[in-house]
Amino acid sequence: MSMATDNSVSTSRVAIGDALDRAKMSKLHMTFWFLGGLGIMLDGFDFFIIGVANPLIKEDLGANAVQTGLISTAAILGAFVGATFLGPLGDKLGRQRIFRYDLWMFVIFSVACMFAWDVPSLIISRFLLGIAIGLDYPIAASFLAEILPIKNRGRWLVSAFALQAVGMLLGAIVGVGVLLLLPYETSWRLMLGFGIIPALAIIFLRRKVPESPRWLAENGREDEAVEVTNRLTGEDTYVSKKDRKTPARSPEGLKSLFQPALFKKDMRRRTIFTAVPWFMMDIAVYGVGIFTPTLLAAMAIAGPNSSGIADDIAATEGTAFLDIFLVLGFAAAIFLVEKLGRVRLQLGGFVFMAVGLLILALGSSLPGGGSDHILIIFAGFALFNFFMNAGPNATTYALPAEVFPSEIRAAGHGFAAGIAKLGAALGVFLFPILLDTIEQWQLLAGLAGVCLIGFVVTLVFQIEPAGKSLDEISGRKAGALAARTD
């Protein structure tokens, strides 16, 4: 039995929840933040690199439009499984233990992708790879939310997700480099396998990441909780009754892979608020983002005498330029998320993403198409990319980590992320098929409508966590809370 109880507390000691909330960001905080968020970088890398590799895979393995959609969708569907059904294991087993396993899965199945011999083997390998990516989402977000102080918690959560843009830039560099140095159809294997290098580095570095002190306190490991909190905050802490609250009873057997508490009356609003806008956003983001090289080649880059690999190089270079606006968008979100709040950023982002898509639709519908209106095309992409990351692409990651109670935080974040990946899979699978059946401008206008649905759902079900402790946000009346202005 731990001695860190309420009866042994002196007036100079602080409850661990209060200490974590009011702490200043230290070097140790930033180290754990960086190591916790690095898995998001691998998601960004994989997100970008498959779009570059798709034309080469099509040439090498003879994939048709449906098979190309399945190749692109497989990892996303795997991420749905990993986030939705394995995410709750982070609440049951702890955040740190999952950190040990998910990236080893990424390494193993990246190797499998490199050596895939046909389309079905590649689809299976990428599905299993996606499970690892999806599992990292709820675990990293839950861990980070639980160690970050109230002040600038949203800023640091958004900053962690901004590492996705770093991964996308890494993908751009690797994609362009491989295409320039090895302009062959089989070079896609090297592209898909390159992620093994950063994954192994992250595995090595994550050995230093401790368990979440809030999770430790809630699961009877009070001495460890105090030790980790003392290291993070520099204060003499103890486990209070509030810190020690009993977690929700976990279902047994296969039911443990799904958390029914998310759909109870007091949690339903949070589940809708976090899952549905993320689902809508990912339909647009993955549909447009993963096929940006293809769109650019079709709309603006490719000339009448160009060839497949030349088009891929030119389109990848154009996409890498447009990725600058992804980084600028994340920079804006990091700066504004505490000033404006998560909800305002999400609402504004959805509106301007829709505007960017409508500009793209206009450019592709004008006489001569995108190739005669390059400035309009690049303006539409730039606006979409900037406000995607200055808005819902950042906030939808942060919100589930804040609005759910800690005993179901990983399950809640995992469910929202998993539903989002279903939207991503829908966008990625249907996008190449629809490009073959309807006009580009019609598809882009439809995606603008999807963004506006995300706006409406956010407006109706909004919960603003800015400036509040995790205990305050997870209270039963959290839906009525407004952002503090002091």
Side-chain angles (χ1 to χ4, degrees):
M1 175 68 70
S2 168
M3 297 301 294
T5 63
D6 293 298
N7 294 331
S8 61
V9 177
S10 68
T11 56
S12 62
R13 300 177 74 189
V14 183
I16 66 167
D18 294 333
L20 290 166
D21 284 339
R22 75 185 193 187
K24 294 181 179 180
M25 281 295 291
S26 64
K27 289 184 179 179
L28 196 58
H29 276 101
M30 288 186 277
T31 299
F32 293 160
W33 164 83
F34 181 66
L35 296 179
L38 275 176
I40 305 299
M41 184 186 73
L42 291 178
D43 178 53
F45 173 84
D46 190 73
F47 170 87
F48 187 95
I49 206 68
I50 191 61
V52 180
N54 268 336
L56 304 177
I57 294 171
K58 184 176 181 179
E59 290 291 325
D60 186 35
L61 300 182
N64 57 35
V66 173
Q67 290 173 327
T68 299
L70 287 172
I71 291 168
S72 300
T73 308
I76 300 171
L77 288 174
F80 160 71
V81 173
T84 305
F85 297 107
L86 300 184
L89 292 176
D91 295 322
K92 190 177 182 69
L93 302 178
R95 295 29 167 152
Q96 187 216 37
R97 190 179 298 183
I98 306 300
F99 270 153
R100 299 176 186 174
Y101 305 129
D102 57 356
L103 292 187
W104 276 116
M105 293 170 59
F106 183 94
V107 169
I108 292 168
F109 296 118
S110 290
V111 172
C113 290
M114 286 184 69
F115 293 99
W117 57 92
D118 58 12
V119 170
S121 63
L122 180 59
I123 291 171
I124 293 170
S125 298
R126 286 199 51 78
F127 175 81
L128 295 172
L129 175 77
I131 292 177
I133 293 174
L135 182 54
D136 205 74
Y137 263 68
I139 306 306
S142 298
F143 173 78
L144 293 174
E146 289 169 358
I147 67 165
L148 290 169
I150 290 176
K151 186 178 181 181
N152 297 328
R153 182 182 61 232
R155 184 167 292 167
W156 285 100
L157 280 171
V158 169
S159 298
F161 196 66
L163 293 173
Q164 184 187 64
V166 176
M168 294 176 74
L169 286 174
L170 176 63
I173 293 169
V174 171
V176 172
V178 171
L179 288 169
L180 291 174
L181 295 174
L182 300 168
Y184 309 110
E185 285 79 3
T186 55
S187 58
W188 63 267
R189 298 179 184 275
L190 183 59
M191 293 181 191
L192 299 188
F194 186 87
I196 295 169
I197 298 173
L200 288 173
I202 297 168
I203 289 170
F204 178 78
L205 293 171
R206 274 188 174 177
R207 296 174 306 144
K208 301 178 181 180
V209 177
E211 182 56 83
S212 161
R214 296 180 193 265
W215 186 90
L216 289 169
E218 291 183 357
N219 286 272
R221 296 163 61 179
E222 297 185 5
D223 290 333
E224 295 174 73
V226 168
E227 180 186 359
V228 175
T229 305
N230 290 353
R231 288 175 60 201
L232 277 169
T233 66
E235 298 201 62
D236 186 14
T237 64
Y238 71 98
V239 177
S240 70
K241 291 180 180 178
K242 182 174 65 174
D243 300 320
R244 200 187 296 119
K245 59 181 180 288
T246 304
R249 190 170 187 176
S250 299
E252 299 299 327
L254 292 176
K255 290 183 179 180
S256 66
L257 300 179
F258 191 71
Q259 183 52 262
L262 299 175
F263 304 96
K264 292 182 178 179
K265 186 176 180 179
D266 58 349
M267 290 294 126
R268 205 173 298 148
R269 177 176 186 168
R270 304 164 206 257
T271 302
I272 295 171
F273 171 59
T274 55
V276 177
W278 203 350
F279 172 80
M280 295 298 170
M281 185 203 68
D282 271 11
I283 291 176
V285 167
Y286 277 74
V288 173
I290 208 166
F291 289 103
T292 296
T294 303
L295 281 172
L296 284 177
M299 296 168 71
I301 299 295
N305 299 318
S306 57
S307 63
I309 291 179
D311 289 350
D312 204 15
I313 293 173
T316 301
E317 290 172 339
T319 307
F321 170 76
L322 287 170
D323 282 352
I324 294 171
F325 294 94
L326 296 173
V327 177
L328 293 175
F330 271 133
I334 291 167
F335 178 73
L336 295 172
V337 69
E338 299 294 354
K339 295 178 181 292
L340 298 181
R342 288 51 147 172
V343 171
R344 287 181 182 175
L345 277 187
Q346 188 158 305
L347 290 170
F350 271 128
V351 168
F352 284 101
M353 285 170 64
V355 171
L357 288 167
L358 291 174
I359 290 173
L360 283 172
L362 173 65
S364 64
S365 67
L366 291 172
S371 59
D372 285 352
H373 305 282
I374 293 177
L375 288 179
I376 294 178
I377 297 302
F378 273 85
F381 270 120
L383 195 67
F384 178 84
N385 282 359
F386 178 84
F387 281 99
M388 171 181 77
N389 281 354
N393 199 33
T395 55
T396 52
Y397 176 80
L399 284 166
E402 296 182 290
V403 305
F404 286 105
S406 58
E407 63 266 25
I408 56 169
R409 181 165 289 123
H413 197 286
F415 180 80
I419 293 299
K421 292 305 181 185
L422 281 183
L426 187 64
V428 169
F429 180 73
L430 292 179
F431 205 91
I433 298 172
L434 291 174
L435 278 176
D436 286 344
T437 57
I438 64 174
E439 297 291 332
Q440 289 172 354
W441 72 266
Q442 293 173 321
L443 177 56
L444 294 165
L447 290 175
V450 167
C451 292
L452 294 179
I453 295 173
F455 170 88
V456 171
V457 175
T458 301
L459 186 65
V460 172
F461 293 95
Q462 60 181 284
I463 300 171
E464 178 56 72
K468 302 173 182 67
S469 71
L470 293 180
D471 288 330
E472 187 179 359
I473 299 164
S474 64
R476 299 310 181 196
K477 296 182 180 179
L481 294 174
R484 287 178 179 156
T485 56
D486 56 340

